[in-house]
Amino acid sequence: MPPSGACGPGLLRSGSRRDKNERVFTDAAFSIPPNVIFEAVEDETILLDLDSGVYFSLNSLASRIWRLIEEHGRIPVVVERLLAEYDVAPERLEADLERVLGELTDRRLLDRRPLP
Amino acid sequence: MRGVSFRRLLEGWLAVARRDQGRALALAKVPMVLLAAEVGLRTLPLGKAAAIFGAPLDTCPPEGPGRPPAPVSAREADALRALDALLSRWPERGRCLRRSLVVAALMRRRRPALRVGVSRAHGGVHAHAWIEIGGAAVAEECSEFLPLRAASR
């Protein structure tokens, strides 16, 4: 049963459907819905959407974001951790994070909720 | 596995039926359940189809290292051979899911659970589905696959 529907290495490179001025994450928390199961395989993470039966593959950076979302959920914490781990300008990191989160929520692989 | 023609399968089943009607009846369930599994997987989300066939999807992290395959009775092994012969004529994509649902239905009394896992053992990522009883895969070695799990929080 080969994985299908992979968004793979292009996940961070492909364009977002969101308005670039829309700040999707600073005031939000994300969680992994129960219809999504996953596991890390080396530096990738494979996701399966149980509702559609479609597999997705996350590259290494998206996998790290996914792991932090699972552990913390709150985006400010995720940003803080990523800035500590990667040598990247905050604006660039936030733009990449926004693209990843936008794609994952658009595909219903993540649930978004406002921070309390 | 090389494909076995449906005609040979039918001839084999008829030969069994002449010798042992009970065994022939048990084997006759296999293609019917396989067709039902095909319909279930085409029309229902995986978790729901698995539950209907008697094997809820297990998305908990596995407890400890992989266990050796779960033992099967002679009658179960007989049905599995018939199932694999039928599946050899099935499209390869998703074959393991169909096999899993049929195995689940045939072993419903043993409280089976469906697992889906991924592996990188042969270059590229491969996904596989299998049935576990008491944490052990049924009649196949699946230790190379990491089971997919639900979020921990």
Side-chain angles (χ1 to χ4, degrees):
Chain A
M1 190 169 64
S4 59
C7 33
L11 188 61
L12 287 173
R13 290 197 289 270
S14 58
S16 169
R17 276 176 265 171
R18 291 176 189 281
D19 185 314
K20 68 178 184 180
N21 294 318
E22 185 187 355
R23 306 278 292 182
V24 295
F25 59 85
T26 52
D27 60 344
F30 288 81
S31 60
I32 300 167
N35 63 298
V36 177
I37 58 176
F38 59 94
E39 188 52 85
V41 182
E42 296 177 9
D43 59 346
E44 287 180 60
T45 298
I46 306 299
L47 319 180
L48 170 60
D49 179 352
L50 292 170
D51 290 342
S52 64
V54 175
Y55 286 88
F56 298 87
S57 166
L58 304 182
N59 65 14
S60 59
L61 177 55
S63 293
R64 184 64 187 132
I65 293 169
W66 182 267
R67 188 64 185 264
L68 289 169
I69 294 282
E70 185 194 10
E71 289 172 1
H72 303 288
R74 298 165 63 93
I75 295 307
V77 179
V78 173
V79 171
E80 190 184 312
R81 294 289 298 270
L82 289 171
L83 283 173
E85 292 175 20
Y86 292 89
D87 182 18
V88 61
E91 300 76 21
R92 171 70 191 275
L93 176 75
E94 290 182 4
D96 281 348
L97 185 58
E98 189 164 320
R99 268 199 299 277
V100 173
L101 296 176
E103 283 202 34
L104 291 171
T105 48
D106 286 349
R107 294 171 187 268
R108 299 179 189 277
L109 299 170
L110 279 181
D111 284 338
R112 180 191 174 209
R113 61 184 191 280
L115 283 175
Chain B
M1 175 189 287
R2 282 184 58 202
V4 181
S5 73
F6 286 119
R7 183 176 173 174
R8 277 198 65 188
L9 285 170
L10 183 60
E11 286 170 352
W13 181 80
L14 287 170
V16 169
R18 281 192 288 273
R19 293 194 306 269
D20 182 345
Q21 288 190 351
R23 184 180 167 213
L25 275 175
L27 289 176
K29 278 186 196 168
V30 175
M32 288 188 281
V33 180
L34 179 56
L35 286 173
E38 186 66 47
V39 173
L41 287 170
R42 285 173 183 264
T43 56
L44 297 170
L46 177 57
K48 196 164 188 177
I52 288 173
F53 279 78
L57 183 63
D58 189 348
T59 59
C60 298
E63 294 172 8
R67 298 179 189 177
V72 293
S73 68
R75 184 144 280 191
E76 287 167 342
D78 204 23
L80 288 176
R81 276 193 298 275
L83 173 60
D84 287 335
L86 276 171
L87 281 170
S88 69
R89 307 294 299 178
W90 229 255
E92 192 163 347
R93 189 179 175 81
R95 200 184 275 178
C96 56
L97 271 176
R98 282 128 185 97
R99 184 183 196 274
S100 295
L101 293 196
V102 178
V103 171
L106 296 174
M107 300 186 178
R108 203 178 186 115
R109 289 181 188 168
R110 295 177 65 186
R111 296 174 169 251
L114 176 67
R115 281 280 194 189
V116 179
V118 289
S119 163
R120 244 203 144 127
H122 307 293
V125 178
H126 301 276
H128 185 50
W130 66 95
I131 290 295
E132 286 184 357
I133 291 175
V138 173
E140 61 178 320
E141 177 56 58
C142 297
S143 58
E144 74 182 63
F145 292 94
L146 288 169
L148 299 184
R149 62 180 178 84
S152 56
R153 57 180 288 279

